[in-house]
Amino acid sequence: MSNILFEDNFEVKDIDPDGKKFDRVSRYVCQSESYEMDLHLDLATHIYQLGHEKFKLVLASSLSLDGSLEQVAFDSNKPSLADKYDYVMYGKIFKYQKEVSSKVSIFASFGGLLMLLQGDPRYLPGLELDSRLNQTTSTTIDRLYKYTKNTTQQTNKYQEYKQK
């Protein structure tokens, strides 16, 4: 069972287009390479910073390598998808909006850091909103993980932060 719901490479086009609002958070405006998706993404810059560069974004329903949903707290000592990426966040889709132009807008929150992913719904089949289901329900994408991997510059900031 695959837990990867969406995967593409993105290029950062703009950083903090409306000005810097928070000291340790930046909003990145990005364009995907393969699926013509638009992405607005908040990142904790004291942990992970991007410049005007390319990165890989993966949305998955679970960190588990076998695709099963975790029924207990995440075990960082067990091998997982998180081992393959520099920056990992856990969050929830809070709004799914169909646009007039046959595109969809998916809004997610990762502990207050926001993501807006806009594009053709054909490439986003597993991303849905269903607020009436529990987080532990395996048939909903109420649980969402976001991983980013910097493809042009390796960083150890996340590892340093975890050790503090």
Side-chain angles (χ1 to χ4, degrees):
M1 174 178 154
S2 176
N3 53 345
I4 295 178
L5 305 172
F6 176 78
E7 180 176 12
D8 200 357
N9 292 318
F10 284 82
E11 184 174 357
V12 176
K13 298 293 186 181
D14 200 1
I15 302 171
D16 295 318
D18 299 324
K20 187 116 172 108
K21 307 278 189 221
F22 301 100
D23 290 338
R24 299 176 0 159
V25 175
S26 282
R27 178 157 292 166
Y28 295 87
V29 178
C30 311
Q31 176 71 44
S32 77
E33 292 182 347
S34 301
Y35 301 118
E36 297 181 14
M37 297 283 175
D38 294 318
L39 175 70
H40 293 237
L41 180 65
D42 293 348
L43 291 177
T45 55
H46 65 289
I47 298 173
Y48 189 76
Q49 263 184 343
L50 286 173
H52 288 275
E53 55 193 292
K54 294 181 181 181
F55 66 96
K56 181 178 184 178
L57 175 81
V58 176
L59 300 176
S61 58
S62 170
L63 289 173
S64 177
L65 291 176
D66 65 4
S68 63
L69 294 178
E70 295 89 7
Q71 299 299 320
V72 294
F74 175 71
D75 182 1
S76 62
N77 296 318
K78 197 168 107 177
S80 72
L81 281 178
D83 299 332
K84 299 178 182 180
Y85 298 93
D86 297 325
Y87 189 73
V88 179
M89 294 192 297
Y90 173 77
K92 180 179 178 179
I93 295 174
F94 67 88
K95 187 175 181 182
Y96 185 98
Q97 182 175 320
K98 294 181 181 179
E99 304 292 339
V100 177
S101 62
S102 75
K103 290 187 175 186
V104 296
S105 295
I106 296 173
F107 298 84
S109 176
F110 302 94
L113 297 176
L114 302 178
M115 178 189 79
L116 166 60
L117 182 62
Q118 295 176 307
D120 191 327
R122 293 180 299 162
Y123 305 119
L124 305 167
L127 301 173
E128 302 171 349
L129 171 70
D130 191 344
S131 59
R132 288 179 254 149
L133 298 176
N134 295 317
Q135 283 186 316
T136 57
T137 304
S138 62
T139 59
T140 184
I141 308 309
D142 221 20
R143 297 160 30 113
L144 180 72
Y145 293 94
K146 180 168 61 63
Y147 319 102
T148 60
K149 181 175 183 179
N150 184 337
T151 58
T152 59
Q153 169 192 356
Q154 293 298 317
T155 179
N156 292 323
K157 286 187 177 184
Y158 179 69
Q159 298 298 334
E160 292 169 9
Y161 178 77
K162 280 179 36 177
Q163 292 173 356
K164 289 181 183 178

